[in-house]
Amino acid sequence: MKNKTIIVSNRLPLQISVENNDVKVSPSVGGLATGMKSVHQEGDSLWIGWSGLTEEEVNPKIQSQIDQAAKNEKCLAINLTEKELNDYYYGFSNRTIWPLFHYFMEYTKFDEQEWMGYKKVNEKFAEKILENLEDGDTVWVHDYQLLLVPGIIKKNKPKVTIGFFLHIPFPSYEVFRTLPWRESLLQGMLGADLLGFHTYDYERHFLSSVSRILRYETQFNEITLKNRLVKVDSFPMGIDYEKFEQAALEHYEKTQEQKSELQVRLDQHLETTPGSKMILSIDRLDYTKGIANRIRAFEHFLEKYPEFKEKVRLIMLAVPSRSNVPQYQKLKREIDELVGRINGKFSTVSWTPIWYFFRSMPFDNLIDLYTSCDIALLTPRRDGMNLVAKEYVATRTDLSGVLILSEMAGAAHEMNEALIINPNNYDQIADALKQAYEMPLIEQKSRNRTIQKRLKRYGIKKWSSEFIKALEATKVNHISKKAKQLDERTKTYITEQLNNATNKILFLDFDGTLVNFQDDPEKVAPDQDVYEIIEKLKNKNCDVVIISGRDKEFLNTHFGDKNITLIAEHGLWLKKKNEDWETTENVKKNWMSSIRPVIESFVDRTPGTFMEEKNYSLAWHYRKSDPELGGQRANELSNVLKDLSSNHDLSVLNGNKVIEIKNSGVNKGRAATKQLTKKYDFIFAIGDDWTDEYMFRELPDETFTVKVGLQKTDAEYYVEDTAEVKKLLKKFTE
Ligand code: GDG
């Protein structure tokens, strides 16, 4: 049986309505539906989403018609009760997440009951997915209404590959942190193997929230969870370019009789006021779209440049949306009043400055508007992407037209050639309108040519196929990891080898292996378990070596009386059983005086970090610093130190939240190998960080090497955490 893709979104890509107890179904034409067409219709797939109807509206006869119609389109409909819809959709999705993620904190409502409703409906979606999921299937979940779905699926089916795409912005940490349910939402999203955002900024904001709130390790665009990796990337959504281009070309071919009523009216307007230009504005009626500031900026333009009166007209299409949410009703009243006031203020007998439509229009009319307007004015206060901007440019087949676009739209990142404005700066918008009106055709063409090329190249199909490709790659990533997870069978096998051997030696790293990290490294100490394990290993005739980056004083305090071998500072110091400490290498330390001030300057500039001065190395610890700043500075310091170290035969080690600089030639690999003074027939090495890789690489091939954690490694096996390490070592002692 072939594996399938399950697409999940709040709404199905179908318009389902009931008239006289009969169900009418037509495919919807939205961007997402078009975008997913290649994945959905051409591939083996199933689309799960809300039908658009409430359970109260549906009787058994209607239900079976809906199910059948959905099935024909490879869809599966979920019905929601009125209460569910109110709490989940109009409530938590659109009164909490939507405003908060668009930085409208004053509109954001925190309501426990709505949160419960959101959770419940996310579970309902997940149940439907799980019922239809088979091994090997891939799940692609869309948008802010379903943030918890990936987590629920992953919990029930850990092996399934899950992608998630967020169509709206992800806000900065300072905004996101205000949410009472922030941990749950992040955990829900992290159920996915790949998380996609429109822009790098949203991706960055998300990573920052994950590392600050959940304190997970994030590296570039990868998040390390306990037992797996999550990839995060940006995939700027494109449009079905050919569809818009083709529609525009056909539009120009139309005879007078074939033209729509709207087009005839638009033509008449242009004929009666020669030299005038039309300015287009299209959005869902949503406070994020900045429609009110657009109108006010237009008013300011007419006041600042009165010579344009009767020369321009703002054609404004506002599509009704979420009218059950009070803020949208308020916005509707505000826009009505604004349009009325400005038309009242400026209209002449032959001219009304704003033509306002509050409804949705058929696709052909949309094309009429796109092709007839010389300027598009899109001023969202925040917008995940804004596809209208892209569609406008795609329909300008003769390359004329000027796009004025808010810098707060994701699309602005890819449309530099547009006139980019700050939607709150009316003066700048007025100037942009003047510039657009007066822009020479040759300049318009040159700008649009560049944008069109980009839009063509990265269209909607490319967007979905790139996402799917990256999602598939996450499967390979996991499989191609060199280290194998240590399973019970292998654990038993290694234990048997240990039991059968005569000469056995175990190299045990300390921090992150025998004990967990803590903010303050001085507070870390081995617990009773660790001591018991060591005693029992000794009783089984094992040579136990604690091999650590810590200084000899620290190891002495905790293990000095244990009659085992201790290796401190990555191999610089050695304490054999019952003997005193000795240095193993003849190393110089004259380099320290020049490197110390460099590290000190990083300590000064990075709160929460400190320098540890060891006998033959200097370490900069940043575990307690702000994770983002710490990571950034660590990169910087590591580069600076690498530059400086080349003259001194020093090496720079990037450890777990620590950067250490020390003499080359001193490393755990060399130190461990030196301990193999007799013919050992069982060698075991375990450790969690970069410095342990030297052991994994340099110890003899027959060594059992084990990495703690999921980072890339040369070890043969890995275990997840220190608890697993203890379990393994205890097994050795049985
Ligand atoms: C969300 C994010 C992100 C509009 N009016 C009519 C109509 N439309 C079509 C447009 C366009 C789509 O609706 C609107 O897409 P946008 O991207 O502009 O905005 P949102 O609806 O807010 O979408 C947004 C998007 O998701 C995708 O990820 O870009 O940032 O907020 O395709 O053409 N279509 C028809 N009649 C209309 O009256 N036929």
Side-chain angles (χ1 to χ4, degrees), residues 29-32 98 102 143-144 165-169 198 202 237 239 244 282-284 286 288-289 317-319 322 359-364 366 370 382-389 391 410 463:
V29 286
L32 185 60
W98 178 270
H102 286 89
D143 227 0
Y144 66 102
F165 189 85
L166 187 70
H167 290 260
I168 65 174
H198 282 305
Y202 309 154
M237 189 170 175
I239 56 165
F244 284 90
I282 297 186
D283 337 68
R284 279 184 306 100
D286 196 300
T288 62
K289 302 286 183 184
L317 172 62
V319 182
R322 302 171 198 167
R359 60 178 134 111
S360 79
M361 285 195 180
F363 180 73
D364 284 349
L366 208 63
Y370 282 150
R382 285 285 164 182
D383 212 339
M385 175 52 73
N386 195 303
L387 298 178
V388 171
E391 293 168 4
W463 171 80

Side-chain angles (χ1 to χ4, degrees), residues 233-252:
D233 217 334
S234 54
F235 302 86
M237 189 170 175
I239 56 165
D240 186 347
Y241 191 89
E242 285 71 31
K243 177 175 148 189
F244 284 90
E245 184 184 38
Q246 198 50 42
L249 290 172
E250 281 165 19
H251 169 93
Y252 289 119

